Amino acid sequence: MPINPSPSPLRQRFKPLWWLGIAYVVLGAITRIILLAMSGSGVPLNPLYYLYAFGIGLGYDLITLLYVAWPLLLYLWLMPVRAYVSRPGQWVLYILGLVLLFWLMFVGASELTFWAEFGTRFNFIAVDYLVYTTEVIGNIRESYPIGRWLTLLALAAIIVVWVTRRGLRASDGGTRFLQRGKVVLVWFVLTVLSVVAVKGTLKDRLDNAYVNELSGNGIYEFFAAFRSSHLDYARFYRTLPDDQAFKDVREMIKTPEATYLTDDPQDLTREIRHAGPEKHLNVVLISVESLSADFLQHFGGSHGNITPNLDALAEQSMFFDNLYANGTRTVRGLEALSLSIPPAPGDSLIKAHNNENLFTLADIFNDRGYQSDFVYGGYGYFDNMNYYFSHNGYHTVDRGDITKDQTIHHENVWGVADEDLYTLALKQMDQAQAAGKPFFLHIMTTTNHRPFTFPAGRVKERNGTREGAVAYTDWSIADFINRARSKPYFDDTIFVITADHCASSAGRSSVPINRYHIPLWIYAPKHIQPQHVKQLTAQIDIAPTVLGLLNFSYRSRFFGADIFQLPAGQERAFPATYEKLGYLKGDVLTVLEPQRKLEQVHPNFDTGDATPIQPIDQKQVDEATAFYQVAAYLFKHGKMVRKPEDSTAVKPEVAPSQSSPAVPSTVH
């Protein structure tokens, strides 16, 4: 009988790599199956979709294996033969395999929770969250039974290692160090080649964003997002000649009440002139965490009747039906509301270097003697908020300013309950009133964020649920306005209530437009007539629109416009992710992507699906390019900074402009 030759010593030595590879591929397939089930109707019953997700996904899993296997590979290479095959060496190998398997299983479980929240593999959000470990770990502990999960994962990992322990058997028939080094060298070359030749975007070939995400690998996507957190627009995106881009932007942001100060093609400074005196009313701007439009009954109430107060307020306010957010993160909303600019690729300017002394909304109020505060219910070091606002015209007030003797009805890792935040805001408003100063407050809420906890007894919806948090958000805003109503300054205060972004960003298209639809109330019973505004409005238009309602005449370099001055047909919005830059105009959505890629679609405003446009509308491509290119250029070259002459008083129009659209007595 033929005798089966024993495996070569080198194959014996590196057999544990096969164990890890098989375990990782199986774990990747299981993770992909669960994520597919979680996607529900987002992935239609189409065998081609499944083949693509699992086929391409296997490729990304194998590439990621090149990275995650390095600890085991180094051990197999460096351990001398005698130590490796000894009893202690065998136990070290078992423990190393157990640790790697537990870590990979933990990452897989983390992906499931991340997908449930954001509908994607790990991305820039996961990268950002690693910077703020206190909040992230606290959020996980408050949201999930983490102790039980870790125990179950550890038990599962131990069982798998025990059952498959033959694959981790330390065996070596006599390899040499340099001989083993050849395997490591090949592995190193493959790793380098994968870094150079493979990009995370190569998988994004289908018209279904869920399938594209499923075909990726969470660990690979995480590091890809880390590498692209700082994207230079001019290097990665479509561009126009700078002179052409600036010329186009100057034309697009020009409105009837605005006059350019110079003919410098790169100077966007305009004098905004209104007829008559300014209204130095108090302004309270509330950016509500994750308040999607579809929470409201007015927009269909997909979660039930959980916003009765806000729905009622819509009929008492100037309410905007067609407003779209800049992004999917809080910092994108804060950027849009304070700077009135299109979103930058990669990191928000809130977190960018050299973001001090920019031209902001607070500057315009400060020039008129206002007290300008940014009030946050958590600790403002998160997402660099306190640094940004304190260096750009705002006084920052956060959780640390609540003294121990003050009542806190509830708090979680993100901050105090919204009602306690509003108490803090009322204190600031009272202080400004006592000092004889008008006030501008920008309030950022936190309750409508996982773990969705709030004080008991406020609403009937269950604590710890999204529906409960939205219902509490509704209750707390109504309570805040009712408390403010008793103040002497209430009649001369405008409440501007909107969202930072939507509650979900997932969809089948790359920029699902329904995931950017947010509400806006402008409420001041003595000054603003109730009405519904139907025009398409961008989040960056909120600041100039409020200033227009106040009849302010001022110098501006905002990209946004007073929506009541914007000529018909020029309305647009800028829905974007950290790397996909959207430009919505009419029923066309243009999306600029890295590697100078482009897609243009007709978006479905109800479902977020999209139909590709052929041929593309080149005019809208150029408009989108000009907006994003100029915004990125100005910040990169330090031209968004506030100048001393920006405080120059602007004389109002002598008579009302005949070209201004009629707004029926919105400000008296």
Side-chain angles (χ1 to χ4, degrees):
M1 294 179 63
I3 299 175
N4 291 328
S6 60
S8 69
L10 206 59
R11 291 185 63 183
Q12 292 175 352
R13 179 73 168 213
F14 287 98
K15 183 179 178 182
L17 274 180
W18 283 97
W19 174 88
L20 181 63
I22 293 170
Y24 188 52
V25 167
V26 171
L27 185 60
I30 293 172
T31 302
R32 210 163 269 113
I33 290 170
I34 298 174
L35 294 179
L36 176 62
M38 293 172 67
S39 302
S41 61
V43 180
L45 293 173
N46 185 332
L48 293 178
Y49 281 161
Y50 300 159
L51 286 172
Y52 190 88
F54 285 89
I56 301 298
L58 175 61
Y60 274 99
D61 290 347
L62 292 175
I63 290 169
T64 307
L65 177 64
L66 291 172
Y67 312 144
V68 302
W70 269 100
L72 179 59
L73 181 69
L74 291 175
Y75 177 78
L76 297 175
W77 173 39
L78 297 173
M79 283 294 288
V81 173
R82 183 175 297 179
Y84 177 69
V85 299
S86 68
R87 190 174 188 85
Q90 176 66 79
W91 277 103
V92 170
L93 187 57
Y94 282 150
I95 292 171
L96 180 57
L98 177 63
V99 170
L100 284 172
L101 183 62
F102 175 79
W103 175 65
L104 293 173
M105 293 174 72
F106 176 79
V107 170
S110 301
E111 276 207 84
L112 302 183
T113 60
F114 193 85
W115 186 282
E117 182 77 10
F118 300 105
T120 70
R121 295 280 195 170
F122 291 143
N123 59 15
F124 73 103
I125 299 176
V127 175
D128 278 356
Y129 277 3
L130 275 191
V131 178
Y132 304 101
T133 53
T134 300
E135 285 79 5
V136 172
I137 294 174
N139 183 42
I140 292 171
R141 292 178 60 188
E142 293 177 0
S143 301
Y144 306 103
I146 191 67
R148 186 189 314 160
W149 286 10
L150 290 176
T151 301
L152 291 174
L153 286 174
L155 286 173
I158 291 171
I159 291 171
V160 170
V161 169
W162 176 255
V163 171
T164 63
R165 63 189 182 278
R166 291 185 59 185
L168 285 171
R169 182 169 297 167
S171 178
D172 188 327
T175 63
R176 297 178 179 179
F177 180 77
L178 291 179
Q179 188 181 17
R180 299 194 299 272
K182 293 177 182 178
V183 175
V184 177
L185 178 61
V186 171
W187 201 276
F188 176 76
V189 170
L190 290 174
T191 302
V192 172
L193 286 176
S194 71
V195 171
V196 173
V198 181
K199 305 295 181 185
T201 55
L202 291 177
K203 63 180 173 45
D204 299 333
R205 292 289 185 268
L206 298 186
D207 58 356
N208 187 300
Y210 283 116
V211 178
N212 290 333
E213 289 292 331
L214 286 169
S215 65
N217 175 283
I219 296 174
Y220 186 94
E221 294 298 318
F222 176 87
F223 286 101
F226 181 82
R227 292 197 303 268
S228 62
S229 61
H230 301 283
L231 288 172
D232 181 84
Y233 182 90
R235 179 181 175 188
F236 290 101
Y237 291 85
R238 298 172 66 95
T239 58
L240 297 168
D242 284 339
D243 288 346
Q244 182 63 48
F246 273 95
K247 178 177 181 293
D248 291 350
V249 168
R250 280 172 63 97
E251 291 176 356
M252 289 186 288
I253 65 175
K254 177 73 169 65
T255 50
E257 88 289 21
T259 304
Y260 282 105
L261 287 180
T262 71
D263 293 329
D264 180 352
Q266 294 190 1
D267 184 7
L268 303 185
T269 308
R270 303 162 326 270
E271 286 193 339
I272 309 295
R273 298 177 184 271
H274 290 98
E278 297 182 350
K279 313 305 199 268
H280 288 185
L281 304 174
N282 306 306
V283 177
V284 177
L285 168 60
I286 306 173
S287 47
V288 181
E289 172 68 41
S290 304
L291 187 63
S292 305
D294 64 4
F295 287 137
L296 276 68
Q297 284 288 302
H298 179 77
F299 295 111
S302 59
H303 296 259
N305 186 20
I306 56 177
T307 56
N309 296 298
L310 290 174
D311 281 307
L313 189 66
E315 303 308 315
Q316 304 164 28
S317 308
M318 178 181 289
F319 187 73
F320 289 70
D321 289 322
N322 204 16
L323 175 73
Y324 288 87
N326 265 27
T328 59
R329 293 291 316 284
T330 293
V331 285
R332 290 303 188 189
L334 298 178
E335 178 185 86
L337 293 168
S338 60
L339 292 171
S340 186
I341 59 169
D347 281 337
S348 163
L349 300 193
I350 302 291
K351 302 173 67 176
H353 295 295
N354 303 314
N355 67 354
E356 303 87 357
N357 196 36
L358 305 180
F359 181 81
T360 67
L361 177 59
D363 291 327
I364 297 169
F365 285 111
N366 294 340
D367 287 341
R368 288 153 178 78
Y370 278 67
Q371 173 181 309
S372 297
D373 295 336
F374 173 72
V375 188
Y376 179 56
Y379 292 102
Y381 68 82
F382 184 77
D383 269 348
N384 205 45
M385 288 185 284
N386 273 1
Y387 183 88
Y388 165 78
F389 281 104
S390 65
H391 286 79
N392 285 285
Y394 296 78
H395 170 65
T396 56
V397 183
D398 69 0
R399 170 69 179 84
D401 292 291
I402 301 178
T403 59
K404 292 183 178 180
D405 61 333
Q406 292 179 280
T407 300
I408 296 177
H409 294 87
H410 181 80
E411 64 178 318
N412 58 35
V413 69
W414 294 112
V416 298
D418 286 356
E419 62 189 87
D420 299 318
L421 169 64
Y422 294 134
T423 298
L424 184 61
L426 284 166
K427 179 182 177 182
Q428 296 301 117
M429 295 154 70
D430 290 343
Q431 289 176 353
Q433 171 74 10
K437 301 178 70 174
F439 53 79
F440 163 54
L441 263 70
H442 185 161
I443 304 171
M444 181 67 228
T445 75
T446 61
T447 295
N448 192 28
H449 190 296
R450 190 177 296 278
F452 308 128
T453 56
F454 49 87
R458 298 296 191 251
V459 296
K460 67 180 187 299
E461 285 77 11
R462 188 161 58 91
N463 214 316
T465 66
R466 171 71 79 180
E467 289 74 18
V470 173
Y472 173 74
T473 294
D474 174 81
W475 177 90
S476 62
I477 291 174
D479 177 68
F480 172 51
I481 291 177
N482 286 334
R483 284 193 280 164
R485 203 181 301 276
S486 66
K487 303 291 185 177
Y489 48 74
F490 176 80
D491 285 346
D492 290 323
T493 300
I494 295 179
F495 295 87
V496 182
I497 306 168
T498 189
D500 56 352
H501 56 82
C502 283
S504 173
S505 58
R508 286 186 286 203
S509 60
S510 62
V511 180
I513 198 62
N514 62 324
R515 301 304 192 187
Y516 293 82
H517 187 201
I518 59 175
L520 170 63
W521 298 258
I522 301 180
Y523 174 69
K526 299 291 185 182
H527 300 278
I528 305 290
Q529 280 191 353
Q531 60 175 292
H532 283 262
V533 179
K534 303 293 185 181
Q535 293 104 306
L536 172 64
T537 307
Q539 198 172 28
I540 68 172
D541 295 329
I542 294 177
T545 298
V546 170
L547 296 175
L549 293 173
L550 293 171
N551 218 46
F552 279 12
S553 296
Y554 61 99
R555 288 191 176 186
S556 173
R557 284 195 299 281
F558 291 153
F559 282 72
D562 179 349
I563 194 64
F564 299 113
Q565 297 288 340
L566 200 60
Q570 290 300 310
E571 303 90 349
R572 70 286 164 274
F574 301 90
T577 70
Y578 75 107
E579 63 177 5
K580 296 181 185 294
L581 309 177
Y583 178 70
L584 177 66
K585 189 174 183 182
D587 66 345
V588 175
L589 175 62
T590 303
V591 181
L592 307 178
E593 302 176 4
Q595 282 78 54
R596 308 192 192 285
K597 294 180 181 178
L598 162 76
E599 65 174 314
Q600 196 173 70
V601 298
H602 289 302
N604 185 311
F605 290 88
D606 295 323
T607 67
D609 293 345
T611 304
I613 295 176
Q614 289 294 340
I616 63 171
D617 183 335
Q618 189 60 46
K619 183 174 185 297
Q620 293 212 25
V621 172
D622 290 345
E623 289 178 3
T625 301
F627 267 119
Y628 283 109
Q629 178 179 335
V630 167
Y633 180 96
L634 290 175
F635 180 74
K636 181 178 180 179
H637 291 85
K639 294 188 175 184
M640 280 189 182
V641 298
R642 173 175 169 78
K643 305 172 185 176
E645 55 269 28
D646 290 336
S647 297
T648 303
V650 176
K651 294 182 179 180
E653 285 284 347
V654 175
S657 172
Q658 298 300 313
S659 61
S660 298
V663 181
S665 305
T666 52
V667 180
H668 299 288

